[in-house]
Amino acid sequence: MKLPDLYTDWRVVLGIAVMLLGIGNWIVGRVKAGEYMHIIASQPDTTADQASRSFDELDAGADAVLEPFTAEQRRHSYATARMDFYHATFLTGYALVMAGLVLTCIGFLALIRRDARRVVGRINLRSGGASLKD
């Protein structure tokens, strides 16, 4: 097996490209999700009080459900949404790395089989055309 065999096989090239893309997503997702996780952890959660109220309490102030967020609640909501996005990016990167590894392994196995067939063909030609089945 030679280097041109590696970069001409589509499975190996595609597998490495998918792995590189996945590694980029994995790293960015991990770093950014951690960053927003720290932002969320540093802010007190004021939305938990509103979420735990019963429907009877909400009926008394029905307009309270539709009130706009305060600046702190908005910042917390945006940080949560961004953390969820980067967590999905992290998981997608992980899946891409695994898919790239599988595809690259399949490509290498195909190259090894092709190389073995070439060697057997050369041995058969040198031995006068006798096959292994005879």
Side-chain angles (χ1 to χ4, degrees):
M1 183 174 10
K2 296 178 181 162
L3 189 60
D5 292 335
L6 290 177
Y7 63 76
T8 57
D9 187 57
W10 67 270
R11 288 168 283 222
V12 174
V13 172
L14 184 63
I16 290 173
V18 168
M19 269 195 307
L20 290 175
L21 179 66
I23 288 170
N25 281 349
W26 194 353
I27 291 171
V28 169
R30 182 80 173 173
V31 170
K32 291 289 191 173
E35 180 182 314
Y36 286 109
M37 194 179 307
H38 289 297
I39 290 172
I40 292 170
S42 67
Q43 294 178 352
D45 191 13
T46 59
T47 58
D49 296 335
Q50 294 175 356
S52 64
R53 295 189 307 186
S54 68
F55 283 114
D56 295 332
E57 293 173 2
L58 289 175
D59 285 342
D63 294 337
V65 175
L66 301 176
E67 285 180 354
F69 288 139
T70 64
E72 184 178 321
Q73 290 172 333
R74 189 178 302 117
R75 183 169 183 226
H76 185 270
S77 176
Y78 288 159
T80 303
R82 287 183 184 134
M83 185 191 70
D84 290 343
F85 170 76
Y86 285 117
H87 189 255
T89 303
F90 165 73
L91 292 176
T92 303
Y94 182 77
L96 285 173
V97 168
M98 293 302 134
L101 278 173
V102 168
L103 191 59
T104 304
C105 287
I106 290 171
F108 275 119
L109 288 174
L111 285 173
I112 291 169
R113 289 182 68 193
R114 187 183 323 146
D115 198 37
R117 273 189 246 126
R118 280 189 212 153
V119 170
V120 169
R122 286 185 200 140
I123 290 173
N124 286 339
L125 287 176
R126 288 183 185 166
S127 66
S131 67
L132 295 176
K133 294 179 184 176
D134 293 338

